[in-house]
Amino acid sequence: MNHDENKINLESLIRKIREVVTARIMIINPLEVQCLMEHVGEIEPFYNVTYVHASSYPEHPSWENLRFLELFPNIRNLHIYDRKICSQSEAKRMTFDGIKNCPNLEFFHSTCLMLPPILSGIEFCTKLRVFSSNTVYNGD
């Protein structure tokens, strides 16, 4: 992808996120997150988003970290869905980098992780009331 295409994709994604006003729900995939994180220093945080649903399907890269959350400081509800199909020996453990920037987080739910996440940073989420993480067990 050339520089002009990358810039157009980034601008389109930022416009999509900024338009999340009424529902305040953002559904995002790892490719969109990667685009945001390449320009994190240039982007003002998205204060209007209070619910983030981050979905990854088999064709997407697996979630390795939540560093992108530094762009969503007002989220109260976070759902991570990761369905990268691989063996547990190939799976990468997700870290909570970035979640420390979400002090208002009340609900966290993850589904289909291949390995339990590393929870460093979650201690900053002092309003957290519900934490649920489902890890796939394939009999290994």
Side-chain angles (χ1 to χ4, degrees), residues 94-97 99 108 116-123 131 133:
M94 183 179 69
T95 65
F96 274 54
D97 298 343
I99 205 160
F108 174 85
I118 297 171
L119 301 178
S120 62
I122 200 154
E123 65 273 13
F131 180 90
S133 182

Side-chain angles (χ1 to χ4, degrees), residues 6 9-18 26-46 49 52 63 67-72:
N6 190 18
N9 289 340
L10 177 63
E11 289 171 357
S12 174
L13 179 58
I14 289 172
R15 197 168 34 257
K16 172 185 162 185
I17 297 171
R18 298 247 186 258
M26 180 66 211
I27 298 173
I28 196 165
N29 68 53
L31 303 176
E32 292 172 324
V33 166
Q34 180 181 351
C35 182
L36 288 175
M37 294 315 296
E38 287 174 6
H39 303 279
V40 70
E42 308 161 27
I43 303 171
E44 189 173 323
F46 303 103
V49 178
V52 173
W63 293 106
R67 194 172 67 90
F68 71 94
L69 292 176
E70 66 188 65
L71 293 171
F72 301 95

Side-chain angles (χ1 to χ4, degrees), residues 69-133:
L69 292 176
E70 66 188 65
L71 293 171
F72 301 95
N74 288 332
I75 64 168
R76 291 193 306 260
N77 196 325
L78 174 62
H79 184 251
I80 303 291
Y81 178 83
D82 188 355
R83 198 55 193 124
K84 184 69 173 178
I85 299 173
C86 62
S87 71
Q88 287 183 317
S89 62
E90 297 171 318
K92 296 183 178 166
R93 197 173 299 272
M94 183 179 69
T95 65
F96 274 54
D97 298 343
I99 205 160
K100 64 181 175 248
N101 297 314
C102 305
N104 297 322
L105 185 66
E106 296 177 22
F107 302 95
F108 174 85
H109 182 72
S110 67
T111 305
C112 296
L113 300 180
M114 293 299 291
L115 295 169
I118 297 171
L119 301 178
S120 62
I122 200 154
E123 65 273 13
F124 295 100
C125 302
T126 58
K127 295 182 181 179
L128 190 64
R129 296 187 300 152
V130 175
F131 180 90
S132 172
S133 182

